[in-house]
Amino acid sequence: MLVGIRDAAKLVGIAVISCCAVLVCTMFLNFYLDVILIESKITSELSMAFYHAQVASAKVVCLVAGGCLLLTAVVMLLFYVKHYIDTHKKELGILKALGYSNLKIAENFWVFGLSAFFGTALGFGGAFLLMPKFYKLQNQEKLLPEIAMHFHPMLFLCLVLLPTLAFALLAIGYAWKKLRQPVLTLLRDTLQSREKIKRDPKSSDRERSFLEDLRGSIVRTKKALAFFILFSSFCFSSMLQMSFSMKDLASKMMGAMIFLIGLTLAFTTLLLAVTTVVKGNTKTIAMMRVFGYSQKECCGAILGGYRALSYAGFALGTVYQYGLLRLMVDLVFLEIAGVPDYAFDVPVMLVTLGVFVALYEILMYVYLEKIKRISVKEIMLE
């Protein structure tokens, strides 16, 4: 089998994102299914208003967090399938030349769905470990009757089994689509992009340097990696700011959970993107070094184009977390007495920005050192 379990094990990013998504959704959906069972026991207007706020917040969190993470996991899966096909073109071309059909080869990609299974299963189990304390914190003011925790098999089906099946089928379908190309194209093992380079009309009269052209070309031809870098800074910005800004709106447990999930998602996606970019351009880096470019210039040309995207992601995350918290205060908890007002926390934003810039530049320095260790001789002998 060309695609094996070891290849599926490399899809750590999908497992991490799936784990985070299912962890959050399981806690809130399980709480939602249990809290609606006590609606008939609620007598006071204050308790009923609090009940509706809890139900609404569970729906909002699952839709916003779960939907965003699901989209990211799907994009990451498609990226992994395409990357695998691009890096194994010769082997796949030989199989097609021997008479294997596109569908027969694509069927092997079902193992990519295992990454979703491991992630969702871990998230589902972790949610039940945290759930007793979560239930207690959700009703710490005792405004609602006692909420008993139940196991709902439908959640296991919808959050673990169905996503695994869906991801396996998606991997097979996308692999089948990408394999629909001539055998000779696969055997040439070339990664030719059909995208035409679009120049800025204002800059058409001036000659762009080689480093500028290379920097822009790498970003344009690796759209999925650009998305991951933007998403990683988005997660870092939104979730870290949210975890500190919502200290008066939610429990410490919720803030800590959002903080850890934000860091995990940010570093997982950023490391995936940057590592893939560097590995995919080792020959380019080697040739640049042969022609006398410094390591700093190599790093700037390969990774420098993503810096603007990372800061754009930080800005989007800042706007997103503010809008989401305003939505929770102004709509979800509108009828709940004693809920403090929420205002944009400038000091938290500045501190988060400072930490983000420091960590991002440290990571760039680490990869600068990795670029220094790339052996020109080994690359040339490949």
Side-chain angles (χ1 to χ4, degrees):
M1 184 168 62
L2 183 62
V3 186
I5 302 298
R6 288 184 179 180
D7 298 301
K10 297 177 182 178
L11 278 65
V12 179
I14 296 177
V16 170
I17 293 176
S18 301
C19 176
C20 294
V22 172
L23 176 70
V24 173
C25 290
T26 301
M27 290 175 64
F28 279 92
L29 287 177
N30 207 85
F31 179 78
Y32 167 77
L33 293 175
D34 286 339
V35 79
I36 61 176
L37 298 176
I38 64 168
E39 183 179 5
S40 59
K41 300 178 182 178
I42 301 174
T43 55
S44 69
E45 292 185 4
L46 177 61
S47 296
M48 183 57 72
F50 183 73
Y51 163 81
H52 286 302
Q54 292 285 13
V55 170
S57 63
K59 293 179 180 178
V60 169
V61 170
C62 290
L63 286 174
V64 175
C68 181
L69 295 174
L70 173 63
L71 174 63
T72 306
V74 169
V75 173
M76 189 172 286
L77 175 69
L78 299 181
F79 166 77
Y80 272 120
V81 173
K82 182 179 183 301
H83 182 69
Y84 183 90
I85 292 175
D86 286 343
T87 53
H88 293 80
K89 279 193 168 186
K90 286 186 177 179
E91 296 96 320
L92 296 170
I94 292 171
L95 288 178
K96 289 187 67 172
L98 292 174
Y100 286 86
S101 67
N102 294 331
L103 183 59
K104 189 67 176 177
I105 299 174
E107 287 175 354
N108 293 282
F109 284 82
W110 71 267
V111 298
F112 280 23
L114 291 178
S115 60
F117 174 75
F118 291 133
T120 54
L122 183 62
F124 192 82
F128 274 89
L129 292 177
L130 297 173
M131 221 174 284
K133 188 172 183 180
F134 175 72
Y135 273 48
K136 184 178 179 180
L137 290 172
Q138 288 295 93
N139 194 28
Q140 59 183 346
E141 302 296 331
K142 301 297 182 181
L143 293 175
L144 298 175
E146 188 69 25
I147 305 171
M149 188 178 75
H150 300 89
F151 175 78
H152 300 278
M154 185 58 67
L155 285 183
F156 183 77
L157 174 66
C158 294
L159 296 178
V160 178
L161 299 183
L162 289 182
T164 301
L165 177 62
F167 271 64
L169 293 176
L170 181 61
I172 293 173
Y174 188 65
W176 173 78
K177 181 179 181 296
K178 298 301 294 183
L179 288 167
R180 294 176 62 189
Q181 50 186 306
V183 174
L184 290 178
T185 302
L186 293 171
L187 291 176
R188 288 193 193 104
D189 193 24
T190 56
L191 300 177
Q192 297 176 348
S193 174
R194 298 180 181 178
E195 180 182 359
K196 294 181 179 180
I197 298 177
K198 298 180 181 179
R199 288 183 176 273
D200 185 354
K202 297 180 180 179
S203 62
S204 59
D205 295 333
R206 64 181 179 86
E207 186 69 22
R208 295 180 65 184
S209 71
F210 166 72
L211 294 179
E212 288 178 321
D213 276 332
L214 179 61
R215 188 182 303 118
S217 168
I218 289 174
V219 174
R220 283 191 297 270
T221 56
K222 301 291 183 181
K223 291 185 175 64
L225 296 178
F227 169 81
F228 293 146
I229 287 180
L230 189 144
F231 179 75
S232 68
S233 55
F234 173 88
C235 289
F236 186 93
S237 170
S238 61
M239 294 196 173
L240 264 67
Q241 290 186 69
M242 195 182 300
S243 65
F244 291 107
S245 298
M246 65 187 300
K247 56 183 179 294
D248 297 326
L249 302 174
S251 63
K252 292 182 179 179
M253 175 187 176
M254 183 59 63
M257 187 170 66
I258 291 175
F259 180 84
L260 292 175
I261 289 177
L263 284 181
T264 302
L265 290 177
F267 282 102
T268 299
T269 51
L270 184 60
L271 289 174
L272 161 73
V274 175
T275 302
T276 305
V277 170
V278 173
K279 285 184 177 180
N281 289 278
T282 51
K283 291 183 180 179
T284 302
I285 295 170
M287 291 302 300
M288 289 177 68
R289 290 174 59 185
V290 168
F291 285 110
Y293 288 96
S294 66
Q295 276 82 8
K296 186 176 181 180
E297 288 175 319
C298 293
C299 186
I302 302 301
L303 298 174
Y306 294 105
R307 183 172 275 103
L309 283 173
S310 66
Y311 290 123
F314 186 93
L316 286 174
T318 300
V319 175
Y320 168 82
Q321 65 90 22
Y322 174 73
L324 182 59
L325 291 180
R326 281 250 59 102
L327 175 68
M328 297 292 287
V329 172
D330 296 341
L331 294 180
V332 178
F333 294 105
L334 179 62
E335 299 180 2
I336 303 298
V339 176
D341 192 17
Y342 168 71
F344 183 72
D345 199 328
V346 176
V348 167
M349 186 274 289
L350 293 176
V351 171
T352 307
L353 177 61
V355 174
F356 172 75
V357 171
L359 291 176
Y360 187 86
E361 296 305 326
I362 289 173
L363 182 64
M364 292 301 103
Y365 177 78
V366 169
Y367 275 90
L368 173 62
E369 294 298 314
K370 294 188 87 171
I371 287 175
K372 288 181 181 179
R373 293 195 292 270
I374 293 177
S375 171
V376 177
K377 182 179 179 180
E378 290 179 8
I379 297 297
M380 293 303 174
L381 290 177
E382 287 184 358

